[in-house]
């Protein structure tokens, strides 16, 4: 099989270049990019879709970019290869650029001009755990009432503890959305997910449920083997558990935090400084891809599913991918419900890199001890601004508007970089979030480090 390389398509397309130029808007601007051959990494998840679509629909080539897309073994390898320059950029967990920039896990200045999607994750438990949870979940018309809170899991965790058995759950990476969403859901149900410290990075200090890392595609098989009792992961690996009959997704991240930010496209700061026009060009291509994915009420999703199902992208059955990509989500086998915003790529300003999104991730790092010591509100704002690049994004968006590819109304031109505060009713624990007051938000959460508390050994001190 030929590698996924833009050079091949560019060669085939050479003969129609003049025709394309003739039909393009007269005011289209082709950037004089500093680097036209690029290699981008991704993990086999449906939310890598903007990369696949930008490639397959020729949006990269429209910008003079010849791109190779390459799947990576895991998130650590992906990040390391961006840092070393083996990859020019990559589909990343939103926490990765932030953690690298502040020096948690590794130290490198990673930035993002583009947020890849909203929502898209779920929490799945084994059939055994689900059977025990159901006793504590209200039902209506024979079906569980959603959203299902972790309150229903708490008696199960306590039963395991009384029998001397650890309750184990998987997430994909220590600074992943999945880790923070799983922790958020557990803590909202009074189940402690554990702390990190400068001397213990297991994340299991004082934990009721023990969380550990499992690569996304391995989640279902790890659950089936009994190594873990549940997990939080992106699609299609929750729906895969349903199709295999080995587990039940109990909640989506849309139900944990409505329209929460998910992946980003990450590059080194050095790359953006050395290649500003290239960065603009790739951002333009990704914005167009995101628009294609959502336009006309998701009319293109069936085609997107066919593309993503290919082995070079996600490589899961199209039927499994379609279960969540086409406006539905299946919980128990046969319990398929409409979730039109489970995967959002463009609407609701999904691709704009909001500082407040970055700050939420930083609050969760602090809440669980990955940021070991108290930081003032200004630190959160400054860190977010050093990583998220809304000005670069809007510059790319303005060019696309001028070229006739997108609409003026599609972008938050007057934003100060902060979303409006998320109301309490949109979050599973009923606690509102305002990115402009991170410490007040941290202190309002029931479980987690407060103010100036630190983790010392197996206890909290200070505060």
């Amino acid at each position: 099989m030929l590698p996924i390389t833009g050079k091949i398509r560019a060669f085939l397309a050479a003969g129609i270049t003049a025709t394309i130029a003739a039909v393009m808007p007269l005011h289209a601007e082709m950037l004089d990019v500093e680097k036209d051959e690029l290699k981008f990494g991704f993990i086999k998840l449906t939310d890598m879709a903007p990369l696949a679509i930008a490639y397959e629909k020729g949006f990269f080539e429209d910008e003079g970019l010849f791109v190779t897309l390459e799947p990576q073994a895991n998130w650590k390898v992906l990040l390391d290869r961006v840092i070393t320059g083996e990859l020019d950029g990559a589909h990343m967990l939103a926490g990765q650029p932030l953690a690298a920039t502040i020096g948690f896990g590794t130290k490198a200045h990673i930035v993002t001009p583009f947020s890849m999607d909203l929502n898209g994750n779920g929490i799945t438990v084994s059939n055994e755990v689900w059977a025990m949870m159901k006793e504590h979940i209200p039902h209506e018309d024979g079906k569980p009432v959603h959203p299902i809170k972790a309150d229903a899991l708490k008696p199960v965790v306590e039963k395991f503890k009384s029998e001397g058995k650890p309750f184990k759950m998987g997430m994909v990476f220590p600074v992943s959305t999945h880790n923070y969403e799983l922790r958020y859901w557990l803590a909202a149900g009074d189940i402690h997910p554990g702390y990190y410290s400068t001397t213990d990075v297991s994340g299991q200090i004082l934990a009721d449920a023990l969380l550990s890392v499992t690569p996304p595609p391995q989640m279902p098989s790890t659950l089936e083997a009994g190594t873990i009792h549940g997990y939080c992961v992106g699609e299609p690996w929750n729906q895969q558990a349903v199709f295999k009959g080995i587990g039940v997704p109990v909640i989506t991240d849309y139900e944990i935090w409505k329209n929460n930010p998910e992946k980003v496209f990450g590059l080194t700061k050095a790359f953006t400084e050395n290649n500003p026009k290239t960065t603009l060009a790739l951002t333009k291509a990704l914005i167009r891809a995101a628009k294609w994915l959502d336009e006309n009420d998701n009319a293109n999703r069936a085609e997107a599913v066919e593309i993503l199902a290919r082995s070079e992208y996600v490589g899961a059955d199209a039927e499994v991918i379609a279960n969540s990509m086409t406006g539905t989500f299946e919980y128990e086998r046969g319990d398929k419900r409409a979730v039109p915003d489970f995967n959002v790529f463009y609407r609701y300003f999904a691709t704009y890199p909001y500082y407040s999104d970055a700050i939420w991730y930083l609050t969760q790092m602090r809440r669980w001890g990955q940021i070991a010591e108290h930081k003032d509100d200004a630190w959160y704002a400054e860190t977010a601004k050093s990583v998220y690049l809304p000005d670069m994004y809007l510059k790319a968006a303005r060019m696309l508007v001028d070229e006739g590819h997108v609409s003026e109304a599609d972008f938050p031109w007057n934003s100060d970089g902060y979303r409006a505060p998320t109301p309490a009713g949109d979050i599973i624990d009923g606690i509102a979030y305002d990115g402009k007051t991170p410490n007040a938000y941290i202190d309002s959460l029931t479980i987690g480090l407060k103010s100036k508390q630190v983790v010392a050994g197996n206890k909290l001190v200070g505060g």
Side-chain angles (χ1 to χ4, degrees), residues 281-361:
L282 68 88
T283 303
K284 288 175 66 183
L286 291 173
I287 291 172
R288 290 183 65 191
K291 181 192 175 188
W292 184 92
L293 282 159
D294 277 13
E295 67 188 356
N296 300 323
D297 294 324
N298 293 354
N300 296 324
R301 291 297 181 90
E303 184 181 351
V305 166
E306 182 274 322
I307 291 169
L308 292 171
R310 298 173 193 169
S311 59
E312 60 263 37
Y313 295 124
V314 179
D317 291 344
E319 184 183 7
V320 176
I321 296 174
N323 237 23
S324 60
M325 274 286 281
T326 54
T328 62
F329 192 84
E330 192 166 11
Y331 296 90
E332 279 187 287
R333 189 65 165 157
D335 184 5
K336 184 180 286 191
R337 309 188 187 204
V339 188
D341 284 337
F342 180 76
N343 282 117
V344 173
F345 293 98
Y346 191 69
R347 56 188 178 272
Y348 313 136
F349 305 139
T351 56
Y352 182 89
Y354 282 98
Y355 299 139
S356 49
D357 292 351
I359 290 169
W360 185 82
Y361 284 98

Side-chain angles (χ1 to χ4, degrees), residues 41-97:
F42 68 91
I43 297 294
K44 291 194 169 190
L45 293 161
T46 55
D47 55 23
M48 65 76 61
L51 283 170
I53 298 307
Y55 176 84
E56 294 291 336
K57 294 298 173 183
F59 299 148
F60 285 131
E61 286 170 17
D62 287 350
E63 300 298 332
L65 303 176
F66 307 113
V67 170
T68 300
L69 300 178
E70 184 177 286
Q72 305 298 301
N74 56 55
W75 292 113
K76 183 181 186 305
V77 168
L78 178 145
L79 177 61
D80 288 346
R81 296 190 75 208
V82 170
I83 292 170
T84 61
E86 296 169 78
L87 296 172
D88 295 295
H91 161 234
M92 285 188 184
L93 300 159
Q96 285 187 294

Side-chain angles (χ1 to χ4, degrees), residues 180-194:
Y180 303 129
E181 287 171 349
L182 180 54
R183 287 168 173 273
Y184 207 102
W185 182 69
L186 291 169
D190 197 32
I191 300 169
H192 204 303

Side-chain angles (χ1 to χ4, degrees), residues 75-350:
W75 292 113
K76 183 181 186 305
V77 168
L78 178 145
L79 177 61
D80 288 346
R81 296 190 75 208
V82 170
I83 292 170
T84 61
E86 296 169 78
L87 296 172
D88 295 295
H91 161 234
M92 285 188 184
L93 300 159
Q96 285 187 294
L98 293 160
T101 298
I102 66 174
F104 180 78
T106 191
K107 179 64 176 173
H109 196 170
I110 307 294
V111 299
T112 178
F114 181 84
S115 188
M116 292 189 72
D117 62 321
L118 303 177
N119 312 315
N121 298 330
I123 296 173
T124 292
V125 297
S126 68
N127 292 333
E128 174 197 12
V129 170
W130 174 242
M132 290 188 281
M133 285 182 69
K134 284 180 75 172
E135 300 174 17
H136 308 283
I137 299 170
H139 283 60
E140 192 173 282
D141 298 326
K143 292 185 176 181
V145 175
H146 284 257
I148 294 172
K149 297 186 176 182
D151 304 56
L153 181 63
K154 187 173 174 62
V156 181
V157 173
E158 290 176 341
K159 184 175 187 297
F160 271 66
K161 187 180 291 186
S162 70
E163 295 172 354
K165 297 186 295 186
F167 189 85
K168 298 176 287 186
M169 300 191 79
M171 47 79 183
V172 308
F173 202 66
V175 296
S176 66
T177 318
H178 319 75
N179 187 21
Y180 303 129
E181 287 171 349
L182 180 54
R183 287 168 173 273
Y184 207 102
W185 182 69
L186 291 169
D190 197 32
I191 300 169
H192 204 303
Y195 292 113
Y196 297 82
S197 75
T198 54
T199 57
D200 184 347
V201 295
S202 69
Q204 298 180 355
I205 299 169
L206 301 177
D208 297 321
L210 304 180
L211 277 53
S212 60
V213 170
T214 301
Q218 296 174 26
M219 289 288 192
S221 59
T222 307
L223 183 74
E224 187 174 20
T227 307
I228 53 177
H229 304 105
Y231 57 72
C232 183
V233 74
E235 284 306 304
W237 308 115
N238 295 288
Q239 295 300 281
Q240 185 82 304
V242 178
F243 275 73
K244 293 182 72 174
I246 60 170
V248 176
V250 292
I251 192 167
T252 67
D253 57 347
Y254 179 84
E255 297 166 297
I256 295 172
W257 176 15
K258 182 179 177 181
N259 291 333
N260 63 91
E262 236 300 288
K263 305 296 191 305
V264 298
F265 188 78
L267 310 125
T268 64
K269 179 69 170 175
F271 181 95
T272 64
E273 290 176 340
N274 294 333
N275 304 282
K277 293 178 182 177
T278 305
T279 305
L280 266 179
L282 68 88
T283 303
K284 288 175 66 183
L286 291 173
I287 291 172
R288 290 183 65 191
K291 181 192 175 188
W292 184 92
L293 282 159
D294 277 13
E295 67 188 356
N296 300 323
D297 294 324
N298 293 354
N300 296 324
R301 291 297 181 90
E303 184 181 351
V305 166
E306 182 274 322
I307 291 169
L308 292 171
R310 298 173 193 169
S311 59
E312 60 263 37
Y313 295 124
V314 179
D317 291 344
E319 184 183 7
V320 176
I321 296 174
N323 237 23
S324 60
M325 274 286 281
T326 54
T328 62
F329 192 84
E330 192 166 11
Y331 296 90
E332 279 187 287
R333 189 65 165 157
D335 184 5
K336 184 180 286 191
R337 309 188 187 204
V339 188
D341 284 337
F342 180 76
N343 282 117
V344 173
F345 293 98
Y346 191 69
R347 56 188 178 272
Y348 313 136
F349 305 139

